[in-house]
Structure formats: C-alpha cells, structure tokens
Amino acid sequence: MDLKNGHVDDLAALGELDERILLDGIHLRYNQDIIYTYIGDILIAVNPFKNLPIYGKEEAAKYVDIKLRSKLRPHLFAIADKAYQAMKRTGVSQCCVVSGESGAGKTESTKLMVKHIIELCKNGTNNLHKRIIEVNPLLEAFGNAQTIMNSNSSRFGKFISLKFSHEGKVVGAKIYDYLLEKSRVVGQGIKEKNFHIFYYLFAGLRKDQLKDLLLDKPEKHRILRPVDNSPVFSSEAVFQYNREMLAHLQYIMLVVGFSEEEVSMVFALLGAVLHIGDIHFEVDVETDGVYIVDEYVLEIVAVLLGVNVEELVATLISNVAILRGERIVTLKNVDQANDGRDALAKALYARLFGWIVRQINTMLEPEPEHRIHPGPEIGILDIAGFENFPINSFEQLCINVANEQLQFYFNQHIFAWELDEYKREGVSGSEIVFTDNRGLLDLFLDKPLGLFSLLDEESKFPRATDTSLVQKIEKHHKKNEYFRQPKGGGLTFGIAHYAGQVVYHAHGFLEKNRDTLSSNLMELMKQSDSQIVSDLFQAQVTDTGSLEPIKNTPKRSRKSILLCKAPNMANRTKSMSRQAGKKLKERINPAKMQTDGPMRDQKTAGAKFQNSLTDLMSRLLDAEPQFIRCVKPNHYKQPNDFKRDLVLEQLRYTGVLETTRIRRLGYPTRLPLRTFIERYKCLAFPVNANVRVTQDNCRKIAKAANLFGWEIGTHKIFLKYWHTEQLNLTVDRLGASVLTIQRCVRGYLARKKLWELKDRLKKEAIIAKAFMTILAKQAAVKAEAIIAQKQQDMLRHQKKLKDTQREAREQQQRQEDEHRREELARHLDERDRLERNFQPPPVPPKSYKNSNIPAGNRHSYGDPYSGVGPGRNPAAAHRPGQHPERVPDRRSAPIDYTPENHQNLPNHGQNRYGRQSYFPESDRNVSARYEARHYHPMPDLLPPSKPDRLRPFEEDIRQSPIANQPYKREAFRPSSQPMQGIRRTPGMELRDRQFEYNTIKSTIYQPSEIDMSDTAHYARQTNGVGTTDRNKVYRHFIDEALGKKPVLDRDVWCKIIYMERDQDIAKVHVSAPEMIVDGSDVDFDGYRLGLCRYENPFRDDKTAKIREHIGKGVTLTRDNEGSILATRYGKNNIIVKGYSDPAHHSISEEVVYNMGKLPPDRPVKVFDMKEFKSHIALEMNKANADIESLRSQCVVALSFVRNTLDDLETPCWIIIVNFIALDALEDKDMLKEVQESLANLVVKRSGQKAGAAGQRSKHQSHGDMYAEVRKPDRTSAEGLSPESNSPGRRKWAKFKKTKD
C-alpha cells in the first residue's frame, strides 16, 4: 500500500493506524483532487469547493452493478449502487445517512445520489425519473438560504424516500420535511440572507410582473434589507445568477406538475409575505394601544390575502382570549403587535412551504397497484449540519440536537450494537472505546426535567420570560457534565456537544417555542376569499410540523389575487387602525384585563421537533444504513485549502479513527445462519437440495467461497466488510456459468425445432402449391362460364330492351294511326259539309295583299291546292287528308308563332314540340324543331291538351322518332303539349306518358342509351342541348350572384350551390379561407357544408344512395391569386365537369391530364386564375368581346359520381361561383394590364413573323400567364381548331396524346 502517493482507497486496510496516518492519507488524496476515501464500508467525502469532472455520464456508467469494488476508485456513486443492488438482492429497504458540518457538501451529495439511483433503475416509460431528480432544486429554492458558513445551507431537514417495485423499478417518491427555520423569514443575522426564492423573485420577474404584485426594490422591504444596509445583489453576476435560477425554477415546477396558475399564485403569496413584513406599528396614546403608520401597505396585504381590510386591522392590533367561556378582547402593545405580524408572515410562509411539499408528494405518488403491494424503499437523509455561530438561537439548538441524535445512531450501529452482538454470540472481538453521547441526549430529551420539557413548561405561562427560562435550566442542570455556564451570565448558557462547546442566547426562546398565531388571525385567514389562503390555514399541522392534506374542502367563489390593484388612498382622511382601536377600547372590560390564564393545550415548536426526531429515527432503524461522512476543509469555502486542524477536529468528533479500527478488526456483516444458507447454499450444495441450518453447513459454504477471517456464532455468521462482496461475486460467476449452459442447451433445442419447422413448412408449401394449381384451373373454368353467362345475360337484356322499345313504338304508332284516321274522318265530314254549303267567294280586288291576312288563315291564290283563286275551292285549304304527303313550305310561309297558337297546335305524329329555351332570345324562340312540324289550319276546333309531367323517382324510356336518337327535353321550362310514349317506374312498370305531367327534373335514361366515351366515363348522347342548358344554368346563378354581391361581406370569395340533378338544394356564401363539403348532416357554420343536412321531396333512390356515400367529401381553398384548390378526402371519385372542354373552362392542366379526377389527399387547382386571364386575353383579341362568355367561365362544377351524364342529369354535384374572378372582370386596372400585355405581345409576334400576318392569327407569348393562342373554331367537334395553341388546347392535345 503506497500511502505516500495517496493510492490507498480504503484506510481500514492499513497495517498501522493512528490519527496522523489517517489525516495524511486524506490530505494527500485531497491535493490530487481525490475527495472520496473508504473506511471499510463508510465513505469519507471532503468538499473540494470547486467543480470536478467526475460526475459525468461516462463516469457514472462505470459505477453500475459493481462486482468488485476494489477495481474502481471510491465514489459517491459506488455507495448509491451498493444500496440499490442490496435492495434488489435482499428486498430489504436501505437508507443513506449523509452527515457533517454546515458547508461540508451534504446537499450536493444528496442530489448526486438521488440522480444516480434514478439512472440505475430508469426504464424510460414516463417522466417520473426527471420529476424526482428536479425535486431537490425546487425544495432548495424555498428551504435553503445563505448563512455565514454556507451559501446554500439547508434550513430544514428532508428525508427523500424513493419507492420501488419488487422488480427494482422506481414507481414513486415521497418527501418528509422536518424543522423548517421559519424565523428566518422575518429576521436574519449579519452576512446572512432570507430564503433563496425571494431573491429569485426580484431578479427574475419582469417590471410589469413586479408591478402587478406592487413590489418595489428589494432593499425597501424590511425582511430583505441587510442588517449592514449593503445592496441585496452585490454584483451584476449575482443578479444574473438569481434571474437564471428563477427561470429554471419555473421550468422545474412545470415539469414536476404545477400549473402556471399555481406558480403565479405562489409568487403572489410570497409578495404578501413581503408586504406583511413592511407593516409598521406605533403607540396610540389615545387608546394605549397601537396604530398602523402606513395603511397603504395594509390595503395591499388585505387584497393579496383576500380578506376584509377592517377585520385585518382589528386582528393585528388586538388579542382575543376565551376565559371560562367568555370572550376577552385586549389591545396589543408595540412588541406584541410586531410579534403578531411576524407570526402571520412566518405561518403563511411555513404553510406555503408545506403545501408545496404536499403537492410534490401528490404528483410523485405511486400508482394504486403499487400502493396496495408496496415494495422496498431507499431513503436519503439531508439535514442541516452542526452549527456554531457567534449568536446561536433556538434554531441552532434544534439543529445541533438533531445532529447529536444522528451521531448517537451512528455510534450505536457501528460500535454499541456490534460489540453487544459479539458478546451474545460468543465471538471474540477487540475492546474498542468510543464516545457515547447518550447522556447529552438525555439532557435535552429526558422528561420531566429535560431542556425541552422545561421550555414547554415555561411557555405555558404568559408571564414567563426568557430570563426565567435560563434560571430554571441552571437550577436543574448546573451539575450536569455537559452543561456550561458562561461568564457574565445573562440570557446565555453553554452545552458541550460532541463537535464542541456551543453558547446559546436564550433571547426569544419562549416566543419561538410557542409558535402560535392568534386565534382571531387564524379565523380571519380561514375565511379568506382566496382559495389557496383559506386552504392553507384550514389544513391541520401534524405532530411533526407537516401539513396534512385537506379532504372535502368546500369550493367557494374566490377572487383572484394574481393581479393586485393599488389601493386608492386619496379619499381616506382618517386612520382605520386608530378608529378600530377606539371601538375596541370601548368593548374592553377593565376588571378582566389583568387576568392571567394558562395557554391553550397546543403543540409547541419543541414538541414538534421531538416528534419529528422520533419519526426520523424510526425510519432509519427500519432500513439497512449506508454512511457518508462529509468533511469541510476550511471555513472560507476556498478550493485547494486544506486546514489540517479543522479536518482533524471533524475526524475526532465523528469517531473516524474508532470507526476505522472497528471496520478493520470487527465484523460489520452479521447474517443469521438460515439467511446465509438460503442465500449462498448454491456454492456448496445443489440448488434444489434441502440443506439443514447448521454451523457445519455454513462452514462448508464459507470454505467453498474461499473466505478467510470469518467467525460463526450461536445464531449468526460474522463476516468482514469485503466478504459480502466476495460471496456475491462468486454467486454471480456461478450464475453466469449456469446461464452459459442454459444458453447452449436452449440454442440446440431451438435449432432442432427450427429444422423440424422448416421440413414441415416445405411439405405444406408443396401441398399448398398443388392445391393452388387445382384451384386456379377450377377458377379459370368458372371464370369462362361466368363470362359466357354474362354475355348471354347481356344479349337477353338487350333483346328484352329492344322488344320493349319496339312494342312501345308499335303502340305509339298504332295510337298515332288511330288518331290520324279519326282526324281524317272528321276532316272529310267537315269538307263534305263545306262543299254542301259552298258559295263562290268574291273576286279579290286588285289591291289585295296576301300579307294583310293573318298567317294562320292565309289562302294562296293560284295554288292548285288552295281553296282561293280562280276556279279553286277555298275549302281545299281545310282538306289535309286529301293531300297528306303535302308539307307546307314553312321557309316561304313562316308560321305565326304565338303562345296561344302554340298551345293548341295538334301533334300529327311526326315529332313532339320542344320547349322554349331557358333565357328567351330575339329570333331564336322559333327553333328548327318547329319548322318541320304540321300545323292545323283550324286550331279552334281542337280541345286543349293535358299537361305532361314526369313523376318523381321514375325513369323516362321515351324514344324519338329518329332512330337511336333519344328525345331531349330542355330543363326549367315545362311544355304545355301532351307527351307521348312509355315510361318505366321504379317497380319496372310501364305507363303511358300521355296523361303524365312534367317536372323540373331532367330525363333519366336507360343504360342502353348511354355510350362509353374516350375518357372511360359515361357520357350522354347529346346534340348540344346539354351544353346549352348548362351555360344557361351557370348564367342564371352568375346573375343571381351579381345581384346579391353588393350586400355581401367583402370577405366572401365564392358561392356554392348544391345540385341534385337540375334542382338547386342549397346555396351558401363562403368567406372562410377553407371550406369543407362532405356527406355529414351538420348545420352550415361557415366552415363546413354537410350535404345530408338538406331534404328534397323529389329525390330519387339513386340520388339518395349516392348522397349517402359522399363520405369525407372535398375541401375547397383559395390562393392569393384567386385560384380555387380542391382536396379529395373521401374514397369515392370526384370529377371536375368540363375537363374535356378546356377551351370553355378555366381549369388547370393537371385536371385535364387526370381526366377530371381529383387525386386523394392532394390539392388540385380546379379553377386556375392564370387560365382565366388567358381566356380574357383571347376574348379581348376579338372584335366584339363577349363578357357573358367570360362570366360563364367564372364557374366550376364538381360531380360526386363517376358517371358524368350531362350536367343537369348528375345526381349529386356542386356549382362554385368564383367572386374573385367576377371582380377581375370589373377591375379596370387588371383589364388594362391584360390589354397592354396583349398589345405588347402582338407587336412582338408581328416583328418575329412579318409577312405571315394575313395567313394566320396573331399569337401572343408572355411568361406563364398568356400562352400562344388562336381564336377557337367554334364549329369543330371539340370547340377547338386543330392548329390552335391556347393553354386549354395544349392540355387537351397532351391528354389525347397520352390516351392514344
């Protein structure tokens, strides 16, 4: 062992041992930045007062599941790993006791141990590990403060209990807090500070946040003002550090589980504590009581606490006592008022601290299944170290007594219990002398004359003073060996602690021990309008001083205290405290003012301290301890400064020398024989053997493990501290060998099973292949049969359909023939009557003009078939049956078309009358449809016909007289003439159409009337009527939109019309940037249009079925240019109408390329503003621009069915009117810009192709906006000339090329 070089990690292994050798070894290691040293299984840690690179992840990874401790340097992580592995191996709870003087590094050591233990069992399932690690910094902010000896001194004791499952996974944690030094809230010594959180508050909050709490600079608040009037923040670096700490603290509170509102509430209560400390009292000569000097502060406190200001004044300046059932009110003097004020501030802060601890425990509580079956725990104790200040008060007395108790526990565990056990078991052990401090503890804790008992007894008497307390202590303990009476006497007394003599100043002992808040203040706080303040003071305080959770707290209406409004003192002319004092003075009974009564029976601070100490020791005794002794190298917190005398003094009073001796010579591990055999029998016996519990069997196991230096007692085996490590290492090696054998055997068995499985799979694959071959052959035969059957069914269906149509035509022809015969007979009768009554007409005058006679009754003089003229019978004009083949030449003699005559014209069977167009035009009301039809020369003889109406939900199977050309009816204009033919109902029933009536619904045709188009969609065989109807419908809705546009919001960018065939079901105006059109039944809310919400009494079954399968539908959006984008989310196809005619629609190239289909989950431009501007340029290039044509292109239609029949026959579709495009047509600047661009392009094109202007049209090219175009050839089949080159034509050509 090279002690001179500091390479001795375990001082218990030294052959020669004394104080100098121990001190030299620790000093050498300290100079080499080796701060940790073992004494057996105890760790000595010297505070380096600087950061060392020994706590990183790489270093921590070395200390995980350590097998042989001697291979690694001593470290705090090694103790943490030892505790965790011992807990997992034995299932026994562990505790880590960290002790030492104030400033020795206990708090930092505690945080490092907690962090490493959590990392050892981290499973990554939730953020519980992170929350547990962050608990320590949170508690430090509220429970630590700067003292003379330590800048981060713990002013409370905490016991962190980490809770584990039986598998070793951390499942929760709980914090036990003891002995908060709440007197520090209202007063600190020289070079000392208040709790950290107050300084974090002033450095970290913004000015507006401080203003909300009406806080000023920290120096202006009494409880933060340094005694020497020095600045609170000594430098900018200190200020920045506190600011960063508040930001980190807020993050920690959110991580742990506090809400933002709770964090703000905590800050508000801290502000209330600061304002309470600023209340100042003076003597009121009128009432012999006190009054409050600055009532502005009082108003702030009342607002922050949520109480009535007048009631707060009364409770601060008066006392209330209950004597023999009578309420007695007395006025306070200045000292009593100050004590009451400070008591309120201390109580508020202490209860706030207890509430924070309680909230942390709630958030870290294990799940219910782990609470029902709890596992082992690891506890870590961090308590304020031994303190000896120039002025030591009641707080230092409690802290030092707690350290005396821990020293006693250490001595008992290390020395007394071990030596006693040697004697009981008959094991020879060296006699080791150690310092026993039991007598000192009796001086403090003995009853009834212990120091705390005397303090509680004296506190019960209101007239008792600190002087009487000191006198009573001297009277009973002046002969005690640990009691010292300092020179000068007064309010001081001395105690010879294990760490040295400490002189205590008894000033304020009684008041601090009483730790009482007046009953009237307590009741006032319970009735606070602030929920948190009321809860804090309604909660009960346990015997140990912790805050109990509140059950079934009534939730009342509480006003917020997060923002404090500055009180208005302008209208305040009188002092509230003076007026309250006068009123209370009148209620005081002078006869009872001097009555002395005993205090209520309540727990004092000393009693709570003793209960806390008892509770702490019970937790330590229930676990197996691991000791860490922290040593402070100097008092100045300077690195690399090792004061040998100071360190030696700490080694002496902590008993390090005696500990080293007993660890070297003694047996720290003492296991019962049964436990030893059960744990290690595998080293010498079979695992499943039933080994008897005897000393011989224990010897066999020890010899099998090659142990030396052990002893066997009557009931236990005694082992050195390294024997446990050696035994565990041997068991681990044996377990590793067993695992290797198991791995080999299991591998062989798995491979054997795999081989068998492969063979079986091969056989099954062969069988499956043969089966699939047979199945494929059978499927092919079945498929051929199905195809043949389908073809036969189609032939039968076509034959049946043709037969039905033929029968319908024959029936119609028979009816027409019958009608023709009846008409002919009637005409012949009428002719005979006219011939019988014939009289020659007068000779027409020379001035006769045929045009003066109405067109319906004209006579053609000289016409061989006319009844007027020389030698002609005028009645011949009324004999159509005589010359049935004669058809009037309507081109030379146009009919007199009027609605009256049209209504009464007969039908001679050649054709039916069409309907008038949707928008009447000047000369086109008389269509070519009427020119080839007969008219009757005597319309008054015909009876009025019945109107023809198509019933809802039925199919029209009429046939026009022209072969293979279905009759087309225009929409929206019912005809007054009777319709002939047959129609089919949903029940496949044929009905005569003669007595049916028209509806605004369009015709539905049979599949035989539908041809397959080039684009794989179904297209109606049309003769142009469908397109005309569509344009008229579009123009109708455009005119309607233009009419409503002036009264609409400017944000409206489109209008959506939901159509079912030719019926408009719903119309909405859209101003939202995104519009959803789907198959839901929700009401229109501006963002979503549910098509299933609307009813239609004329809806047929096919339309209803399609509407139910719309699903998620389509989402419509617009971009900045005005283009409309559609995104399909449903499974069913959505088709853009007009994709096959891009010359008349402003659709994008992608729509044409996709044959109108919208791809799923991807936006596509269904209205392209650039294409629209191209169409504007084309129209402006014409001699007479057609604004109506451009307006029609402001519309785009989407179909929810794959069968794109003509527009007015689509079961479910929507029409979208683009208001932005309509606005563009009225935007003079935009039109001017298009015109100028077009002119520039014409000039440019003319220059490039001079001489060819007469043979071809002028084409323009200007970026992406205007493409090179020709005027469209409206006579071509597709509406485009072959040589045209507009964007729409290029897209269509590209599409046709792709299809071919």
Side-chain angles (χ1 to χ4, degrees), residues 805 809 812-813 816 909-912 928-929 932-933 957-968 1005 1009 1021 1023:
Q805 293 175 350
R809 286 195 299 270
Q812 181 180 0
Q813 188 64 36
E816 290 177 353
Q910 282 79 3
N911 205 334
R912 286 185 290 272
R929 295 190 296 272
R933 297 173 184 167
I957 59 172
R958 296 178 301 154
Q959 294 292 327
S960 65
I962 305 174
N964 299 326
Q965 291 293 330
Y967 178 75
K968 303 297 179 181
Y1005 291 87
E1009 303 176 61
Q1021 296 177 354
N1023 55 2

Side-chain angles (χ1 to χ4, degrees), residues 984-1045:
R984 188 183 300 278
T985 66
M988 302 304 294
E989 178 184 357
L990 296 177
R991 292 185 179 180
D992 190 354
R993 291 190 51 104
Q994 182 175 0
F995 301 102
E996 300 296 331
Y997 293 89
N998 272 337
T999 178
I1000 61 173
K1001 285 183 170 295
S1002 298
T1003 307
I1004 301 175
Y1005 291 87
Q1006 290 294 333
S1008 62
E1009 303 176 61
I1010 299 173
D1011 293 339
M1012 185 68 69
S1013 67
D1014 294 338
T1015 57
H1017 297 298
Y1018 292 106
R1020 176 68 55 82
Q1021 296 177 354
T1022 63
N1023 55 2
V1025 178
T1027 304
T1028 303
D1029 291 347
R1030 178 197 63 202
N1031 292 337
K1032 292 176 182 178
V1033 173
Y1034 288 0
R1035 290 178 182 177
H1036 169 70
F1037 288 124
I1038 289 173
D1039 293 340
E1040 187 179 66
L1042 291 174
K1044 291 186 178 181
K1045 183 180 175 183

Side-chain angles (χ1 to χ4, degrees), residues 48 96 117 146 213 326 369 463 505 587 601 617 743 780 793 820 966 984 998 1069 1109 1146 1247 1262:
C96 301
I117 293 174
Q146 177 179 326
L213 300 177
E326 185 177 358
E369 60 269 19
R463 291 183 174 275
H505 292 255
R587 296 165 52 188
D601 186 14
M617 296 310 300
R743 184 167 59 250
D793 292 344
R820 213 179 282 118
R984 188 183 300 278
N998 272 337
H1069 293 87
H1109 288 81
S1146 300
H1262 184 59

Side-chain angles (χ1 to χ4, degrees), residues 259-400:
S259 64
E260 293 184 358
E261 183 179 358
E262 289 175 335
V263 174
S264 301
M265 191 68 70
V266 169
F267 291 165
L269 292 181
L270 293 174
V273 173
L274 292 169
H275 287 299
I276 291 173
D278 293 336
I279 297 177
H280 181 61
F281 298 97
E282 291 289 347
V283 177
D284 187 359
V285 295
E286 296 183 10
T287 61
D288 293 333
V290 296
Y291 72 94
I292 299 173
V293 177
D294 187 2
E295 294 184 350
Y296 175 83
V297 179
L298 184 69
E299 293 269 9
I300 297 174
V301 173
V303 172
L304 289 176
L305 295 181
V307 298
N308 183 273
V309 62
E310 295 180 355
E311 294 179 357
L312 179 61
V313 170
T315 55
L316 288 175
I317 66 174
S318 66
N319 277 325
V320 176
I322 305 297
L323 183 62
R324 299 184 182 92
E326 185 177 358
R327 182 183 177 91
I328 300 175
V329 179
T330 58
L331 294 178
K332 295 179 180 179
N333 56 33
V334 174
D335 292 337
Q336 292 173 338
N338 289 334
D339 290 341
R341 172 203 62 197
D342 292 346
L344 177 60
K346 291 188 294 184
L348 181 60
Y349 187 84
R351 288 175 180 266
L352 175 61
F353 181 80
W355 177 82
I356 292 174
V357 174
R358 190 181 69 192
Q359 293 296 102
I360 291 174
N361 289 335
T362 301
M363 297 164 188
L364 300 182
E365 189 176 17
E367 297 296 330
E369 60 269 19
H370 297 296
R371 293 199 298 268
I372 297 174
H373 304 287
E377 302 177 2
I378 296 180
I380 302 174
L381 176 64
D382 178 23
I383 196 169
F386 187 84
E387 294 181 347
N388 188 0
F389 297 154
I391 299 178
N392 300 288
S393 186
F394 179 75
E395 293 78 18
Q396 281 69 44
L397 178 69
C398 295
I399 291 173
N400 292 338

